[in-house]
Structure formats: structure tokens, C-alpha cells
Amino acid sequence: MSIQWKGVMPAVTTKFTDSDRLDLHMFEHNIQAQLEAGVHGIVLGGTLGEASTLSETEKRILTTTTVDLVKDKVPVLINIAEQSTKEAIRAAQNAETDGAKGLMMLPPMRYKSGDRETVEYFKAVANSTSLPIMVYNNPVDYKVEVTLEMFDELLKCDNIEAVKESTRDISNVTRIKNRFGDRLKIMTGVDTVALESLLMGADGWIAGLVCAFPAETVAIYELQKAGRIKEAIDIYRWFLPLLELDINPKLVQNIKLAEVATGIGTETVRAPRLPLHGEERKHVLKVIEDGLKNRPTLPDYKNL
């Protein structure tokens, strides 16, 4: 399956048991909910997936489990977030062996690489694998920006095909389209500017709150694609207070708490993360409670 860079692809959370092992039972339950809602791909081991805490073995288990589960209904991608080029190449080759259909890829972790170093890092991994790559451009959280000039060089690698656009600058969607046309597909990566980005020409949405609200997320995408903009906006306005849980240092805890409320997850996180408590927890629970109380009735978005 070649990847069509479009639609909603959840950056799924990683589920853990109370004894700090992978909770594959609840993980599979959530993946099934995503598939039933009509998502267009699955992204493993991203920020929401607690990538920095996962061992190589755990990443491979998540990949093979998901590949077996989705049975080629949608592509499975895994995030590459490594400290060295050598380990990134190894992770990419593992992903290919384990059946992933594509890679989401961050710049080097911990070391703040310069422009030339960042380009060479991406190119080295791209040249080591046949898998298509989506560059994860998130200078807000990861402090390295992949500029348009850097993409000029990166796109010499045929398998660098897409960008997860997380600069939070809506006009960057237009800049990319003006510069590269369809050569570089755009997957918006920030929930709170997702509909705006789609309306400006982004091809799809790597989503966060989809983990707890898959149907609503896919409905927004399908409605705007069908030109039913007002209906998409109405759902998006309801959704925004929940989406804002994604642009927070505790986004993993926030979204896992939302998954509990919708019956498709647990709030167990891996240390050093801890579950929310006190006033912070009360605030997030109130946002979720209000969202559920006013949850919209969705149109038949699968048959537009």
C-alpha cells in the first residue's frame, strides 16, 4: 500500500498497564474505535505516544500489533525520534521489516542541530529506506525549524513526500503550496488550527483529540472536504475547548483522561509523567464533562 497523504491520521496514545507494561488489549480497543470512525491512517510513537519512554522492543511490538490489526485497511506509520543518525537509520529499517508503510520523522533529539545537520540527518535516513517519509516540523516544541529552503534540498529524496505542519502559522500552508505545489503534501499537526489549515489547502490532519473523539474528528474533515463548511465549523466550535487540551505540556495526560471519559482508554502514563491531580485535574475533567454534555449529533459523514 502506498500512502495517500490525506484524511485524518490519529497520533495514537500508547496504553500501559498498572505494572508499566504495554496494555495491548486497551490499545487494540482504541485502534478499532479509530477504524470504525473512518480514519485514514495510524501514527505510532509520536509525542502523544510517549515516544521518549518507549524501548526499541516496545516500538516494534506496537508496530507489528497494529499492522496485524488494521490488515491493510489503512497505512501504519511510526515516528522516528532518535538522538543519532545511526539509531534513526536502525529505527527506519526496523519499521520497514515490521510492516510499517511510512515514517513520521523528527529532527535529532536533545541536540539542537543546525540547518545543514538537520538536512543531512533526514537525507541519511531517507536514503536508507524505501518507506515514504513525513517530516515532522514542530519548532515550537522541538526548537528546530525545517525551512522552505531546507525542503528544497530534502525533496531531492523522492521518498520525502509530506510534512506534518506544526509551526502554528496558518500562512505556512500557503507558502508551502506556492513553493512546492503537490510535491510536498501537508498534514496539519496542531488540533487548534486544524480546520483553518484544511480550508487553506492542507491535505490532511495528524490529530490528537481524535484519540478520544474519533468520529467527530473525521466528521470535520469529511464535511469540509465535501464543501459543507458551516457544518464543519459548528462541530469544530464545539470541539475547540477539548482541542486546546492538545496544546499543553500535559497533553498526554489530558488526552488519556478524555479517552477514559469516552470509554476507549485509560489514564495510565509512564513515569516520569504522572496522572493529573488537584486543580489541574478538576479543570480538565470540567472541559471534558462540558464537551460530553453538549456533544453534537453528527451527520452521516461517511457517505457524503
Side-chain angles (χ1 to χ4, degrees), residues 4 14 17 63-64 66 73 80 88 122 133 179 181 189 202 215 218 269:
Q4 296 186 48
T14 302
T17 66
T63 304
T64 55
T66 309
K73 294 173 186 172
I80 303 293
F122 281 119
I133 293 172
R179 183 90 161 233
V218 179
V269 289

Side-chain angles (χ1 to χ4, degrees), residues 165-227:
E165 166 51 37
S166 298
T167 63
R168 306 188 189 182
D169 180 354
I170 295 292
S171 58
N172 217 33
V173 173
T174 301
R175 292 188 190 98
I176 293 168
K177 286 295 182 186
N178 285 346
R179 183 90 161 233
F180 303 113
D182 284 336
R183 172 62 184 88
L184 185 64
K185 297 295 186 179
I186 303 172
M187 303 293 288
T188 182
V190 180
D191 277 358
T192 53
V193 294
L195 180 55
E196 296 89 336
S197 297
L198 291 166
L199 294 176
M200 291 308 298
D203 301 284
W205 179 1
I206 309 295
L209 264 295
V210 66
C211 294
F213 295 92
E216 289 84 355
T217 308
V218 179
I220 290 169
Y221 170 80
E222 297 292 357
L223 285 165
Q224 65 81 34
K225 183 182 174 186

Side-chain angles (χ1 to χ4, degrees), residues 4-304:
Q4 296 186 48
W5 300 102
K6 65 180 184 179
V8 172
M9 298 187 186
V12 295
T13 57
T14 302
K15 309 298 188 289
F16 300 106
T17 66
D18 291 340
S19 57
D20 198 33
R21 297 178 182 274
L22 293 178
D23 184 348
L24 294 179
H25 174 73
M26 185 54 78
F27 177 78
E28 291 177 10
H29 180 55
N30 187 279
I31 296 294
Q32 290 290 2
Q34 305 300 325
L35 295 174
E36 288 168 11
V39 300
H40 304 80
I42 301 289
V43 180
L44 306 170
T47 307
L48 261 180
E50 298 177 68
S52 62
T53 72
L54 297 175
S55 69
E56 178 182 318
T57 298
E58 287 173 327
K59 291 176 185 176
R60 300 194 71 173
I61 290 170
L62 288 172
T63 304
T64 55
T65 297
T66 309
V67 168
D68 289 345
L69 191 62
V70 306
K71 302 185 189 308
D72 277 342
K73 294 173 186 172
V74 298
V76 175
L77 294 80
I78 188 159
N79 185 43
I80 303 293
E82 302 293 338
Q83 297 182 51
S84 72
T85 302
K86 178 181 177 180
E87 288 305 309
I89 289 172
R90 179 175 171 177
Q93 292 172 344
N94 285 345
E96 192 160 3
T97 299
D98 295 338
K101 299 300 182 185
L103 304 173
M104 181 170 79
M105 191 175 167
L106 280 160
M109 296 289 96
R110 298 183 71 175
Y111 174 63
K112 187 178 183 298
S113 53
D115 290 2
R116 183 170 63 91
E117 292 169 320
T118 303
V119 167
E120 290 303 315
Y121 176 80
F122 281 119
K123 286 172 67 176
V125 176
N127 291 331
S128 75
T129 178
S130 66
L131 292 179
I133 293 172
M134 172 175 59
V135 172
Y136 186 177
N137 190 21
N138 185 350
V140 176
D141 293 319
Y142 293 103
K143 312 309 177 188
V144 173
E145 180 169 7
V146 185
T147 65
L148 298 183
E149 291 70 27
M150 293 162 74
F151 274 114
D152 276 328
E153 183 66 24
L154 290 174
L155 294 182
K156 293 175 183 177
C157 298
D158 290 341
N159 59 332
I160 294 180
E161 298 181 354
V163 58
K164 180 181 177 183
E165 166 51 37
S166 298
T167 63
R168 306 188 189 182
D169 180 354
I170 295 292
S171 58
N172 217 33
V173 173
T174 301
R175 292 188 190 98
I176 293 168
K177 286 295 182 186
N178 285 346
R179 183 90 161 233
F180 303 113
D182 284 336
R183 172 62 184 88
L184 185 64
K185 297 295 186 179
I186 303 172
M187 303 293 288
T188 182
V190 180
D191 277 358
T192 53
V193 294
L195 180 55
E196 296 89 336
S197 297
L198 291 166
L199 294 176
M200 291 308 298
D203 301 284
W205 179 1
I206 309 295
L209 264 295
V210 66
C211 294
F213 295 92
E216 289 84 355
T217 308
V218 179
I220 290 169
Y221 170 80
E222 297 292 357
L223 285 165
Q224 65 81 34
K225 183 182 174 186
R228 291 166 61 170
I229 308 301
K230 183 182 183 305
E231 290 170 89
I233 290 173
D234 287 344
I235 299 170
Y236 190 62
R237 285 177 176 165
W238 160 81
F239 211 0
L240 187 61
L242 289 157
L243 297 177
E244 288 176 332
L245 299 177
D246 185 51
I247 53 167
N248 182 289
K250 300 283 181 68
L251 76 164
V252 175
Q253 291 94 320
N254 293 346
I255 291 174
K256 283 192 168 184
L257 202 53
E259 288 179 323
V260 172
T262 57
I264 53 175
T266 71
E267 64 174 308
T268 309
V269 289
R270 174 165 280 176
R273 286 183 179 88
L274 296 172
L276 299 177
H277 76 291
E279 291 303 314
E280 189 174 38
R281 182 184 180 85
K282 288 180 184 177
H283 167 71
V284 173
L285 285 173
K286 179 68 164 55
V287 171
I288 296 167
E289 179 185 340
D290 289 347
L292 290 174
K293 188 184 304 180
N294 300 299
R295 199 171 188 176
T297 300
L298 300 178
D300 184 13
Y301 66 87
K302 294 182 183 179
N303 293 299
L304 296 178

